[in-house]
């Protein structure tokens, strides 16, 4: 490169607002532009030529930056853009970090780091998130007030309905009382004997003024109307898989996400350190297990065997020397003291052989039995810790398993879900609600509870989605009353699962909307119905006067009744289609 081109390049680097740092693979800093020095509050002369580890790694203020540079070196390639924080002049500075390798003749020679100061942008974003949270709290208070007003209105409507019902019952009771009194006084005239006190043993003559009814099958349906609110049909609770701190949050409440989308990242600094330590422990445990499994060929065993052979050779020499001294002593060529010295030497060498044999057995035992079993267990434990550390590192990226809308979790004492917030393992972070299939949560009082069962058909409508009817089925009926006082008596929760939303319903229905629920509690095809006036009651049983075809006398027959409507009674047993029933005159 010519001198003018180099000068131009240097001028460009000096005027860049982004920081640029070049580090050789021998850890020396080759170049740093003024923007980089300003970000770290360092003088250019204090940076260029210095050792990277000495200047940055040893400083706690630059831990995140140093770890990002080390990741770039160990990954052997370009590093995706990330955000790191450093402390410069007692102030936290947020920087976007990008690193790439400089290659010369196919060899890695340096690492180029590019930094951009985004502190003001992050502070502005945090302010916006705080304002959004405040507005959300205010909206939540308004929503709770509206729901409280709605519940009060519902309670008032229920009380009004009960008052009307009691008033109607009272009026009916008075009317029946007067009719009963009148019937009692008119009893001698025998006007009501045929209806009020039927006698099955006495045939009744068919009178011209006695109306009849021919039984024919028809459909019978009965419904119950309730009011509830739309809820997600399916929701995935996103919990923290590990104990860590929030690194990055990619979504906000109300965002639409698809299955597999990343919701947030958790910090991996401690996890990476745990992984490295787990790898070291695993290598050491594996080496120890390999050594014990091949203990017969180990250096310790070889050394003990060599020591035993040397001791045996020395013993052979001592015994040979003793034999020679014995020969010389017998011929009077040496004094007895020299022979005794040879005996002591032989005994010493024999003891050395015994010690060497014991030492060899002791060394050989280290590779068998409990030591080998302990080494295998330690290797297995280190493998499990390594796999756990690797899995935890992968779990740091939290994604959604389903398509849906992001719903914030209940407020935690740790504060809103933002960068730096600590999270514990298993803590609820977010909820993703499936909006394609909704449910309606409502409640029914104890009087009507026995009428509602899982699997019954239902449909909903509502003021927020006029002219739209969505079908569904009763999914669940609670077996326990809702907690809290209820003016109208105990209430039991009911969940209606709606069919998959399509078209206008998918566009207009939203979680939290109120809905009018209609549940089909009875639906009988070809039911046999008779007028109320045809049924006679005696001893807790129901009776009908049946007029056989071609006959002039009616027979009294016991029947089993079912559902009662405003003007008819369903007959379940004892009656067939086409038969003629006598009515009260």
């Amino acid at each position: 490169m010519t001198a003018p081109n180099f000068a131009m390049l240097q001028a460009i680097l000096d005027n860049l607002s982004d920081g640029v740092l070049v580090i050789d693979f021998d850890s020396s800093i080759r170049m740093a532009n003024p923007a980089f020095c300003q970000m770290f509050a360092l003088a250019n002369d204090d940076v260029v030529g210095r050792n990277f580890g000495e200047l940055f790694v040893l400083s706690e203020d630059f831990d995140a930056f140093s770890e990002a540079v080390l990741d770039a070196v160990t990954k052997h390639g370009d590093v995706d853009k990330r955000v790191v924080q450093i402390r410069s002049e007692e102030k936290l500075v947020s920087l976007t970090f990008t690193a790439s390798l400089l290659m010369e003749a196919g060899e890695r020679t340096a690492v180029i780091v590019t930094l951009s100061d985004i502190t003001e942008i992050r502070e502005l974003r945090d302010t916006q998130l705080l304002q959004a949270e405040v507005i959300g709290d205010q909206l939540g208070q308004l929503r709770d007030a509206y729901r409280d007003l709605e519940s009060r209105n519902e309670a008032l409507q229920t009380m009004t309905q009960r008052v009307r019902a009691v008033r109607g019952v009272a009026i009916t009771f008075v009317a029946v009382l007067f009719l009963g009194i009148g019937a009692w006084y008119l009893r001698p005239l025998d006007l009501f004997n045929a209806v009020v006190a039927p006698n099955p043993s006495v045939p009744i003559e068919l009178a011209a003024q006695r109306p009849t009814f021919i039984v024919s099958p028809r459909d019978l349906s009965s419904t119950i109307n309730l009011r509830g609110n739309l809820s997600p049909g399916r929701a995935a609770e996103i919990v923290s898989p590990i104990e860590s701190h929030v690194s990055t949050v990619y979504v906000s409440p109300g965002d639409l996400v698809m299955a597999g989308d990343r919701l947030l990242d958790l910090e991996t600094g401690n996890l990476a350190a745990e992984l490295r330590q787990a790898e070291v422990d695993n290598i050491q445990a594996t080496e120890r297990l390999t050594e014990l499994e091949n203990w017969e060929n180990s250096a310790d065993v070889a050394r003990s065997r060599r020591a035993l052979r040397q001791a045996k050779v020395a013993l052979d020499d001592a015994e040979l020397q003793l034999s020679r001294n014995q020969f010389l002593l017998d011929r009077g060529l040496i004094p007895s003291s020299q022979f005794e010295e040879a005996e002591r030497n032989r005994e010493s060498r024999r003891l050395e052989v015994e010690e060497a044999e014991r030492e060899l057995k002791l060394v050989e035992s280290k590779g068998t039995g409990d030591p080998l079993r302990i080494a295998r267990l330690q290797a297995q434990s280190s493998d499990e810790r390594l796999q756990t550390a690797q899995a935890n590192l992968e779990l740091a990226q939290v994604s959604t398993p389903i398509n849906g809308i992001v719903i914030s979790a209940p407020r935690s004492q740790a504060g809103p879900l933002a960068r730096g917030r600590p999270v514990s393992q298993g803590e609820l972070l977010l909820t993703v609600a499936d909006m394609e299939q909704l449910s309606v949560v409502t409640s029914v009082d104890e009087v009507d509870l026995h009428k509602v069962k899982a699997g019954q058909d239902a449909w909903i409508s509502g003021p927020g989605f006029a002219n739209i009817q969505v079908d569904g089925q009763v999914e669940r009926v609670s077996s326990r009353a809702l907690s809290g006082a209820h003016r109208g008596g105990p209430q039991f929760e009911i969940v209606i699962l709606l069919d998959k939303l399509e078209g206008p319903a998918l566009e207009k229905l939203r979680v939290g909307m109120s809905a009018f629920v209609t549940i089909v509690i009875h639906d009988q095809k070809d039911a046999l119905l008779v007028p109320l006036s045809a049924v006679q009651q005696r001893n807790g049983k129901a009776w009908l006067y049946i007029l056989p075809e071609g006959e002039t006398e009616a027979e009294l027959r016991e029947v089993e009744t079912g559902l009662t409507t405003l003007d008819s009674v369903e007959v379940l047993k004892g009656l067939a289609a086409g038969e003629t029933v006598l009515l009260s005159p």
Side-chain angles (χ1 to χ4, degrees), residues 143 147 227-233 407 433-435 437-442 459-465 468 470-471 495-499 501 505-506 508-517:
R143 182 170 60 252
R147 289 178 177 174
R227 184 170 182 175
N229 296 95
L230 294 177
S231 298
I407 301 175
D434 183 0
M435 302 302 294
Q437 187 173 30
L438 300 179
S439 64
V440 178
V441 179
T442 182
W459 65 84
I460 69 163
S461 59
F465 43 98
I468 295 178
V470 182
D471 296 331
V495 178
I496 294 91
L497 184 63
L498 303 181
D499 296 343
L501 303 182
L506 182 60
K508 293 187 177 181
L509 269 66
R510 294 292 183 269
V511 172
M513 283 186 171
S514 59
F516 302 111
V517 182

Side-chain angles (χ1 to χ4, degrees), residues 10-314:
Q10 186 64 41
I12 293 173
L13 289 174
D14 291 344
N15 289 278
L16 277 178
S17 59
D18 292 344
V20 178
L21 179 70
V22 180
I23 309 167
D24 288 330
F25 264 79
D26 60 358
S27 296
S28 63
I29 299 175
R30 182 187 299 182
M31 188 273 288
N33 70 339
F36 175 88
C37 296
Q38 184 178 0
M39 292 175 185
F40 288 77
L42 298 171
N44 185 270
D45 294 337
D46 295 335
V47 177
V48 177
R50 294 281 299 279
N51 183 276
F52 175 83
E54 174 183 310
L55 187 59
F56 293 101
V57 175
L58 298 180
S59 175
E60 295 181 354
D61 294 340
F62 306 141
D63 283 348
F65 169 72
S66 301
E67 183 176 351
V69 173
L70 295 176
D71 286 347
V73 175
T74 57
K75 285 184 177 180
H76 306 293
D78 294 346
V79 175
D80 295 336
K81 181 179 291 187
R82 66 173 69 176
V83 176
V84 299
Q85 282 190 329
I86 63 170
R87 183 172 296 277
S88 177
E89 296 181 340
E90 301 302 322
K91 181 179 72 173
L92 281 177
V93 179
S94 296
L95 306 171
T96 59
F97 173 96
T98 306
S100 59
L101 299 179
L102 180 62
M103 309 294 292
E104 291 183 7
E107 296 290 331
R108 300 177 299 153
T109 60
V111 178
I112 303 176
V113 177
T114 305
L115 302 170
S116 297
D117 192 342
I118 59 169
T119 303
E120 295 183 358
I121 297 175
R122 290 181 64 86
E123 291 176 351
L124 178 61
R125 181 175 178 273
D126 291 342
T127 302
Q128 291 175 341
L129 290 175
L130 180 60
Q131 292 176 348
E133 181 181 358
V134 172
I135 295 173
D137 290 343
Q138 294 175 349
L139 291 175
Q141 294 174 1
L142 291 175
R143 182 170 60 252
D144 293 340
Y146 175 78
R147 289 178 177 174
D148 183 67
L149 180 61
E150 286 288 326
S151 63
R152 292 177 182 272
N153 289 337
E154 290 179 3
L156 182 59
Q157 290 177 1
T158 303
M159 183 61 68
T160 303
Q161 291 175 357
R162 291 185 177 275
V163 170
R164 290 177 180 173
V166 172
R167 184 182 300 167
V169 171
I171 294 173
T172 303
F173 176 78
V174 173
V176 171
L177 179 62
F178 278 106
L179 289 174
I181 294 173
W184 176 263
Y185 282 102
L186 292 176
R187 187 177 180 185
L189 298 178
D190 201 26
L191 295 176
F192 297 92
N193 284 352
V195 176
V196 176
N199 187 352
S201 62
V202 180
I204 297 182
E205 301 268 346
L206 180 60
Q209 72 275 17
R210 195 70 179 271
T212 60
F213 176 81
I214 299 177
V215 179
S216 59
R218 55 178 172 150
D219 295 342
L220 176 61
S221 178
S222 178
T223 61
I224 184 173
N225 296 317
L226 303 170
R227 184 170 182 175
N229 296 95
L230 294 177
S231 298
R234 181 178 60 150
E237 293 185 340
I238 309 301
V239 299
S240 176
I242 56 176
E243 183 174 355
S244 182
H245 290 75
V246 176
S247 174
T248 307
V249 181
Y250 298 101
V251 295
S252 300
D255 287 353
L256 175 65
V257 294
M258 306 301 291
D261 286 353
R262 191 184 301 180
L263 302 178
L264 55 93
D265 289 342
L266 301 178
E267 291 184 358
T268 59
N270 293 335
L271 296 177
E274 291 176 1
L275 177 60
R276 290 192 292 269
Q277 183 60 46
E279 289 177 343
V280 172
D281 294 342
N282 181 254
I283 291 172
Q284 292 176 345
T286 302
E287 289 179 349
R288 177 59 178 168
L289 177 60
T290 302
E291 180 184 6
L292 292 182
E293 289 178 340
N294 194 31
W295 187 248
E296 286 293 326
N297 300 321
S298 65
D300 290 347
V301 173
R303 185 166 47 252
S304 297
R305 288 175 177 171
R306 185 168 55 253
L308 177 59
R309 286 195 299 270
Q310 291 175 351
K312 287 182 177 180
V313 170

Side-chain angles (χ1 to χ4, degrees), residues 294-354:
N294 194 31
W295 187 248
E296 286 293 326
N297 300 321
S298 65
D300 290 347
V301 173
R303 185 166 47 252
S304 297
R305 288 175 177 171
R306 185 168 55 253
L308 177 59
R309 286 195 299 270
Q310 291 175 351
K312 287 182 177 180
V313 170
L315 177 60
D316 291 341
D317 291 343
E319 289 180 344
L320 180 59
Q321 185 63 36
L322 179 62
S323 176
R324 289 175 180 175
N325 288 347
Q326 179 70 48
F327 177 79
L328 296 176
L329 179 64
D330 293 341
R331 286 160 177 76
L333 298 177
I334 61 172
S336 60
S337 60
Q338 185 175 349
F339 174 76
E340 293 173 355
E341 177 67 22
E343 281 187 328
R344 288 194 295 272
N345 182 52
R346 192 274 306 270
E347 184 63 20
S348 176
R349 296 296 176 264
R350 186 182 63 79
L351 294 176
E352 289 177 357
V353 169
E354 292 178 355

Side-chain angles (χ1 to χ4, degrees), residues 242 270-288 374-395:
I242 56 176
N270 293 335
L271 296 177
E274 291 176 1
L275 177 60
R276 290 192 292 269
Q277 183 60 46
E279 289 177 343
V280 172
D281 294 342
N282 181 254
I283 291 172
Q284 292 176 345
T286 302
E287 289 179 349
R288 177 59 178 168
I374 292 173
R376 286 173 177 168
L377 293 175
Q378 290 176 340
Q380 182 179 355
S381 298
S382 66
D383 284 338
E384 293 173 354
R385 287 194 297 271
L386 178 60
Q387 293 175 5
T388 301
Q390 291 172 341
N392 288 342
L393 196 60
E394 294 174 357
L395 292 175

